[in-house]
Each structure stands twice: as C-alpha cells, then as structure tokens.
C-alpha cells in the first residue's frame, strides 16, 4: 500500500498508523488492529514516528523480532483479540534508511469475522477508523456488524410476531403475473398462493407449525404500516429535484417502490443512444442493488436522488465484500439473499456479483464519467452516484450534495493509498475538469481533511 523507500512523504491517516514502540509493545496497537479490520484495512508501522510536520520517519527498533513474536502470541489469544485475520505474510521486519521497523498489514475483515474486538468484550472493545484516528463503536454499529456476520441472511428469518395478513395480496398477484411473463411454466406458478409464498421464502413455518411472513416476504409484499412495526426506520424515498418536485416518501413495499422508480428512470435515460436500453437497464440494476443490499434496521432508509446530470442511489449498511471486489465482479454476498431470489425470478438484478461491473461497463461504453462509490460510517451507508450527462461543466448537479459527497470521498480514498496527488491526477480519476477539482480540494482543506504545502500536490491531514 505504501512505498517504504519514500516513508517521509506519508503521514498518518485513516489507513496508516505509526507507533514508535521503542519502549516495548504499545497496547494501543490492538485498538488500531480492531479499527482497521472493521473499516477499510490499513498498515501499522512499529518503529516509526510522526514528526511535527506530519511526515513519518523510522527510529530503529532494538529487537523487532521480539515485537513480532509478542504480536503473534497476543493476536492468537482469544481473551485479548476475538479473531486473528492475519497470515504470516502480513507481518514483516523491514529496513528503512538503515533502521529496522515492523510492518503489520491489516486487511479488512470478512463480514463473518466482524466485529473484530479486543479484551473479550464486543460492546466496549470494538473500534473503527475515521480521519481522526480510532474510535469506539456505538452499540448500534456493533449490532449491525453482528447481523451481517450470520451465514443465513437476516431476511430469511420467520417473523412469528407477525401474520400472513400483513402481506398485500394485490402485490403478490402482481408479482405472480410478472413471473408468469418472465418464466412461463415455472413450477411455482402452479401452486396455491400460500404454497407459492412458501416456495419464494416469503413465508415460513414457526415453532408452532403455522405459517408466518419472513422478513423478506414482509419487505417485498407487506403493507407499509406492517413493515414499520418491524422496521421503525424503514423509508423509501425518490427525489426528483430536476423536475422541481418535492421529495416523495413511498408508503409501500420494496416491490412497488422498485417498479415506480424504474418507470421514472425511463425518462432519465432518454438521451441513451441505444434506445434507452443500456442506460435504463443499468439504472434499474443500481436500484435493485440498493434494495437487495440495504440494512433495513439501519437509519436513513433508501434514497434515490435524481438531479440534472446525476442520479445517486443510497442505502443503509456497509459493504459485505471489499469494494474493489464489488467493482471487479464474480463475488456475490447479498445482505438480503431471499429478496435477491424474489427479484431474480422476475428478471430484476443480474446476480453472481456482475451487477456493479456491468454498470461500470455501460457507463464506459456511453462515454460517461465513471460511477463513484462512497462508503461512510457513523452511520453505515453506501452511495452509488452515476453521471448521466457527458458534460463536466459546473451545473446544479455538480453542486449537489450527493455529487460533493461521492467526489470528495473518492479523493480521500485515493489519498489514503497514495502519498499525494496533483489536481491533474484527481481530474483524471474523477473524469472532471481541473477547475472542479479545485472546488472539491478547497472544501476538503476547509474541513481540515486535506493539506498542501506548495499548492501543487495535496495529501491527507490526520
């Protein structure tokens, strides 16, 4: 991740932590280990200090091998660390400017290992990383990670405190009609409504042998007032700012919401040179991806914001796989597997981890700026922003909050993996003009996130 030959060009940030460690093994290493594992991963440098100008310098460790041995002993102690996610290649003794240091590369933990916590206490020992260092996670953040860790997706759970009457049968009949059109002759279509819902995993048997809605069934087909009882933060919002309409909260289930918004997105893709097909399909894929991967117990709900030149899809919940893997494709780990199955049966959502890569491919083929993915914490949220105009001149859309958030997040993400960058580098990264980059950098400098010593290259400030 970093070039140790140019150590002085780096400073501590949300992916790099330096510890002098000359007096022994620092206890705070384990808070950082937890924080990196639960956020985006990072590098811990033992035998390195940050100077007054924030540059890093090696200080030489008297016995680096002893620190490595102590690290392995502690990371494998379940009373101190909940799980060891490292392999032997992740820890090494390196020489920088004639001085020996220890480099510990902490990957982002798999969702089945999160939360990674210390001192045998997930409530008080779970940490995450932000621009200011390590922070102790709230109880809600810990619970969200624990929900994601289970092998069986949450939406498959049978809700025995609900009833089948919570499902809107008009939505079920509409779904059956779509499925018949998409998959004529499918075995489920010959079943009664009750058996059909059972086959979809929309209902399941409770401990008393009776049928109850599953979480997926309630979200897909339920009446709004019934969904709210189970998910108090549930909301589905479509903002059509470009047509001067107020934000509309859809009082309905995710099935109705998907097709309402999908119809509205037809108008957005009117400039598609291929008769709307490619762009519209990609926009609908983004919408389905947001619905299938949302954490419906999280705050903020699903928000689809349309403005001139930009559409942003935002949902509660963190990525369950690495963002790079999501862009590349081939890895599928949906938060709501039963919802994914239901949508796939009516030809919504590509599955097999190909959704995000297909959106990138479509945007590239249309000559549009590359999609931007931003992941935020406190609370956990994912936002996918798609430019739908080729012009990158400053417009109302580029001044919008959604564009600002995703573009600035992309700059911060780039600077966590690179010591510095010029405005020209960042303009190529985002596919916008240098003047736009200067606006974004000015905001990041004002927020005390980015600094520049010479107004040529910019880097993160801790």
């Amino acid at each position: 991740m970093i070039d140790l030959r140019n150590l002085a060009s780096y400073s501590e940030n949300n992916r790099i932590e330096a510890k002098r460690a000359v007096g022994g093994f620092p206890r705070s290493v384990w808070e950082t280990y937890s924080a990196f594992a639960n956020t985006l991963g990072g590098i811990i440098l033992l035998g390195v200090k940050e100077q007054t100008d924030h540059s890093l310098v090696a200080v030489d460790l008297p016995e680096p091998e002893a620190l490595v041995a102590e690290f392995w002993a502690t990371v494998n102690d379940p009373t101190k660390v909940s799980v060891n996610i490292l392999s032997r290649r992740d820890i090494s003794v390196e020489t920088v400017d004639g001085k020996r240091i220890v480099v510990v590369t902490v990957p982002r933990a798999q969702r089945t290992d999160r939360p990674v916590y210390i001192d045998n206490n997930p409530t008080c020992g779970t940490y995450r990383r932000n621009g200011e260092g390590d922070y102790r996670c709230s109880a809600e953040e810990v619970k969200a990670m624990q929900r994601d860790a289970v092998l069986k997706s949450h939406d498959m759970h049978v809700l025995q405190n609900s009833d089948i009457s919570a499902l809107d049968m008009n939505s079920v009949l509409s779904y059956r009609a779509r499925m018949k059109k998409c998959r004529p002759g499918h075995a489920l279509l010959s079943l009664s409504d009750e058996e059909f819902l059972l086959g979809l995993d929309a209902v399941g048997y409770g401990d008393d042998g009776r049928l109850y809605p599953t979480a997926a069934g309630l979200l897909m087909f339920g009446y709004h007032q019934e969904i709210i009882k189970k998910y108090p933060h549930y909301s589905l919002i479509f903002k059509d700012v470009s047509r001067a309409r107020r934000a509309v909260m859809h009082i309905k289930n995710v099935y109705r919401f998907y097709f309402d918004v999908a119809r509205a997105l037809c108008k957005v893709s009117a400039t598609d040179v291929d008769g709307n097909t490619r762009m519209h399909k990609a926009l609908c894929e983004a919408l389905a991806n947001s619905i299938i991967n949302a954490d419906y117990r999280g705050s903020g709900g699903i928000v689809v914001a349309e403005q001139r030149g930009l559409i942003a899809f935002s949902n509660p919940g963190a990525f369950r796989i690495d963002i790079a893997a999501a862009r590349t494709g081939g890895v599928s780990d949906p938060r709501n597997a039963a919802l994914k199955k239901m949508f796939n049966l009516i030809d919504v959502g590509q599955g097999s981890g190909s959704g995000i890569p297909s959106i990138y491919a479509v945007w590239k083929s249309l000559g549009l700026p590359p999609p931007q993915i931003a992941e935020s914490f406190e609370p956990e949220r994912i936002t996918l922003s798609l430019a739908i105009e080729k012009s990158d001149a400053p417009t109302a859309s580029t001044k919008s909050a959604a564009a600002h958030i995703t573009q600035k997040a992309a700059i911060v993400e780039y600077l966590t993996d690179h010591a510095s960058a010029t405005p020209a580098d960042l303009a190529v990264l985002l596919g916008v003009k240098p003047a736009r980059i200067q606006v974004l950098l000015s905001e990041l400098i004002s927020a005390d996130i980015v600094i520049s010593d010479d107004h040529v290259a910019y880097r993160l400030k801790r």
Side-chain angles (χ1 to χ4, degrees), residues 17 41 75 84 125 164 187-188 275 331 348 458:
E17 176 74 12
V75 79
N84 175 15
I164 288 185
L188 287 178
V331 180
V348 172
Y458 294 80

Side-chain angles (χ1 to χ4, degrees), residues 209-222:
R210 294 176 56 199
L211 283 175
Y212 297 91
T214 61
L218 184 65
L219 291 164
M220 189 75 166
F221 303 121

Side-chain angles (χ1 to χ4, degrees), residues 92-410:
S92 62
V93 177
E94 306 289 345
T95 301
V96 178
D97 297 329
K99 300 177 177 66
R100 294 191 300 169
I101 68 171
V102 174
V103 179
V104 182
T105 302
V106 183
R108 179 177 184 167
Q110 297 291 322
R111 56 104 176 168
T112 50
D113 289 327
R114 296 197 295 263
V116 174
Y117 55 90
I118 62 175
D119 297 329
N120 211 25
N121 190 334
T123 303
C124 299
T126 299
Y127 292 80
R128 268 189 168 152
R129 189 80 168 180
N130 59 22
E132 300 176 353
D134 306 328
Y135 71 90
R136 184 178 283 112
C137 290
S138 67
E140 284 305 312
E141 287 179 282
V142 174
K143 288 177 182 177
M145 285 186 269
Q146 290 171 334
R147 287 197 299 270
D148 280 346
V150 297
L151 295 176
K152 182 178 179 181
S153 66
H154 167 77
D155 68 337
M156 294 180 181
H157 292 173
V158 176
L159 307 178
Q160 297 189 66
N161 58 349
S162 189
D163 188 83
I164 288 185
S165 62
L167 305 184
D168 173 19
M169 292 311 296
N170 286 330
S171 294
V172 175
L173 292 175
S174 173
Y175 178 94
R176 288 190 72 144
R178 289 183 185 277
M179 185 175 166
K180 185 176 182 179
K181 182 178 179 180
C182 298
R183 301 177 184 272
H186 194 286
L188 287 178
L189 295 170
S190 63
L191 303 177
S192 67
D193 287 341
E194 195 173 87
E195 293 171 326
F196 177 76
L197 291 171
L198 188 61
L200 286 180
D201 291 325
V203 300
Y205 287 105
D207 297 334
D208 57 3
R210 294 176 56 199
L211 283 175
Y212 297 91
T214 61
L218 184 65
L219 291 164
M220 189 75 166
F221 303 121
Y223 290 107
H224 180 263
Q225 65 269 24
E226 297 295 332
I227 299 175
I228 291 293
K229 291 178 183 178
K230 182 65 179 176
Y231 301 99
H233 300 297
Y234 176 85
S235 68
L236 308 170
I237 300 173
F238 176 60
K239 296 181 179 179
D240 190 357
V241 180
S242 64
R243 292 174 178 80
R245 299 175 187 168
R246 294 188 307 168
V248 178
M249 181 177 291
H250 287 250
I251 311 300
K252 52 190 66 181
N253 50 49
V254 297
Y255 171 72
R256 297 289 189 187
F257 177 74
Y258 173 84
F259 285 102
D260 279 358
V261 177
R263 281 189 289 271
L265 294 177
C266 285
K267 302 172 184 177
V268 175
S269 55
T271 57
D272 192 336
V273 296
D274 193 23
N276 302 354
T277 303
R278 285 182 295 162
M279 179 181 281
H280 184 249
K281 283 185 176 180
L283 290 172
C284 289
E285 179 67 28
L287 173 61
N289 192 68
S290 221
I291 292 172
I292 290 168
N293 289 292
D295 179 357
Y296 290 95
R297 289 185 176 179
S299 60
I302 295 174
V303 180
V304 181
E306 175 197 340
Q307 304 190 39
R308 294 182 183 89
L310 176 78
I311 298 182
F313 300 85
S314 182
N315 62 267
F319 267 103
R320 287 158 64 93
I321 61 174
D322 186 75
I323 294 180
R327 293 192 186 108
T328 305
V331 180
S332 180
D333 187 15
R335 177 169 278 108
N336 301 296
L339 275 181
K340 179 178 181 291
K341 169 187 172 181
M342 293 178 194
F343 275 113
N344 286 169
L345 285 172
I346 53 173
D347 291 346
V348 172
Q350 295 194 27
S352 302
S354 60
I356 294 295
S358 70
I359 295 171
Y360 272 80
V362 169
W363 252 242
K364 183 177 181 179
S365 71
L366 295 174
L368 294 167
Q372 298 295 323
I373 300 176
E375 183 178 17
S376 58
F377 302 91
E378 298 183 281
E380 296 178 338
R381 198 159 191 86
I382 301 168
T383 301
L384 169 65
S385 293
L386 302 172
I388 54 175
E389 294 179 359
K390 292 186 179 181
S391 172
D392 58 10
T395 64
S397 64
T398 58
K399 296 176 183 177
S400 70
H404 269 40
I405 291 171
T406 53
Q407 290 176 339
K408 287 193 292 187

